[in-house]
């Protein structure tokens, strides 16, 4: 993988783990998701204006369609992920979500999109997935029902991640949508799509903002920062390598779940993290 693309993806992984830790601390459902999506949209407005002003190509309708599709997928992603954090452990939901996504992305990229990342790249991708599975089998602090719920929502989130990763790669490469315009338009769309839900729970919105303002700002600002790095990486490296490489975030997430949230099975989690690192190394030299 291109060194610049790899650096972008690794920084994005750190940022991603940080905002997921913040999201885990809040039980707010779709209304919390609307709050941080709205923060992202407001933050992106001046960025979109500048990007459109300097973009040599005239805006096209395909840009709007691309942003609308990713907005829908990200709304589903945000709601399913937040529900998973409400019913399950970070150390279960997060690695399963991040592991299922690249597995599906690599399979589709190879079988449908015709990408050929090479044997070493594929070995690295499956090492990442294997490490994720080792981590996710590390137990839960809740009961069996909570564990099953966490596994279900983790896998469901991963499937949505694969869907938007593949669509995003298509949008910024085949459709040629500028990443800043694309992500900014998607952020605005996400806020608009969830606005009716927010309007029906204004008192809850006020409570969430009062009690969890820091978490809202962390997720709302860190999420677009990390994801924009991934979008730019997708412009210079194939999705079959970018998708699994960004899953290094589960190493940071696993450590945070152990040290900050005091979740159990640290040895198994760290062993899985070493497998993930081996996969990342294979991808880096593919």
């Amino acid at each position: 993988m291109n060194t610049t693309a790899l650096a972008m993806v690794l920084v994005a992984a750190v940022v991603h783990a940080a905002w997921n830790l913040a999201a885990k601390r809040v039980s707010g459902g779709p209304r919390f998701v609307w709050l941080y999506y709205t923060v992202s949209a407001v933050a992106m407005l001046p960025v979109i204006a500048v990007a459109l002003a300097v973009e040599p190509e005239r805006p096209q309708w395909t840009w709007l369609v691309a942003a609308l599709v990713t907005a829908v997928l990200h709304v589903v992603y945000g709601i399913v992920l937040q529900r998973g954090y409400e019913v399950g452990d970070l150390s279960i939901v997060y690695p399963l979500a991040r592991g299922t996504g690249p597995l599906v992305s690599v399979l589709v990229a190879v079988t449908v999109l015709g990408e050929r990342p090479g044997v070493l790249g594929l070995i690295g991708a499956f090492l990442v997935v294997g490490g994720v599975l080792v981590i996710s089998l590390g137990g839960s602090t809740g009961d069996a029902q909570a564990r099953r719920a966490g596994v279900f929502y983790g896998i469901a989130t991963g499937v949505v991640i694969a869907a938007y990763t593949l669509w995003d790669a298509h949008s910024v490469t085949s459709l040629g949508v500028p990443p800043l315009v694309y992500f900014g338009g998607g952020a605005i769309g996400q806020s608009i799509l969830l606005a009716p839900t927010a309007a029906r729970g204004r008192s809850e919105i006020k409570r969430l903002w009062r009690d969890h303002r820091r978490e809202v700002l962390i997720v709302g600002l860190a999420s677009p920062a990390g994801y924009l790095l991934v979008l730019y990486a997708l412009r210079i490296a194939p999705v079959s390598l970018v998708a699994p490489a960004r899953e290094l975030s589960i190493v940071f997430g696993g450590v945070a779940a152990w040290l900050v949230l005091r979740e159990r099975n640290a040895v198994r989690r760290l062993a899985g993290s070493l497998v993930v690192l081996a996969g990342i190394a294979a991808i880096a030299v593919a």
Side-chain angles (χ1 to χ4, degrees), residues 199-216:
R200 291 193 297 269
R202 293 180 181 177
S203 59
E204 176 68 6
I205 291 291
K206 291 179 180 178
R207 184 195 66 80
L208 285 169
W209 180 250
R210 183 184 66 249
D211 298 343
H212 299 288
R213 183 177 308 177
R214 183 178 66 176
E215 286 81 4
V216 170

Side-chain angles (χ1 to χ4, degrees), residues 60-276:
Q60 303 177 25
W61 283 107
T62 53
W63 296 8
L64 182 61
V65 174
L68 178 60
V69 172
T70 197
V72 172
L73 291 174
H74 274 82
V75 165
V76 176
Y77 161 73
I79 293 174
V80 175
L81 177 66
Q82 201 60 35
R83 178 57 181 166
Y85 284 156
E86 290 176 1
V87 300
D89 285 352
L90 179 70
S91 57
I92 295 296
V93 178
Y94 190 55
L96 274 179
R98 304 314 303 174
T100 305
L103 176 60
V104 176
S105 297
V106 168
L107 291 176
V108 173
V110 173
T111 60
V112 178
L113 302 182
E115 290 189 3
R116 295 293 180 266
V119 175
L120 195 57
L122 288 175
I123 290 174
F126 282 100
L127 279 174
V128 169
V129 173
V132 167
L133 292 176
V134 171
I135 293 172
S136 68
L137 294 174
S140 171
T141 56
D143 57 23
Q145 184 176 358
R147 178 180 173 82
R148 287 194 296 270
V151 169
F152 171 78
Y153 281 104
I155 293 175
T157 303
V159 172
V160 182
I161 288 172
Y164 76 60
T165 298
L166 292 167
W167 177 255
D168 291 349
H170 174 69
S171 297
V172 300
T173 54
S174 300
L175 299 182
V177 186
L180 286 173
V181 176
Y182 176 70
F183 184 86
I188 294 171
Q190 291 153 24
S191 177
I192 293 173
L193 288 172
L194 282 173
T197 299
R200 291 193 297 269
R202 293 180 181 177
S203 59
E204 176 68 6
I205 291 291
K206 291 179 180 178
R207 184 195 66 80
L208 285 169
W209 180 250
R210 183 184 66 249
D211 298 343
H212 299 288
R213 183 177 308 177
R214 183 178 66 176
E215 286 81 4
V216 170
L217 292 174
I218 289 174
V219 179
L221 297 176
S223 177
Y227 202 70
L228 281 171
L229 287 171
V230 173
L231 290 180
Y232 277 105
L234 285 169
R235 302 196 94 179
I236 56 179
V239 65
S240 53
L241 298 184
V242 172
R246 65 185 298 208
E247 304 320 314
L248 182 63
S249 61
I250 69 156
V251 177
F252 306 113
V255 172
W258 170 38
L259 296 179
V260 179
L261 302 179
R262 302 299 181 185
E263 294 179 4
R264 299 179 298 176
N265 300 287
V267 174
R268 182 189 293 269
R269 186 176 299 118
L270 292 177
S273 297
L274 291 176
V275 178
V276 172

Side-chain angles (χ1 to χ4, degrees), residues 17-28:
W19 76 251
N20 272 266
L21 177 62
K24 169 62 179 172
R25 294 175 174 272
V26 182
S27 179

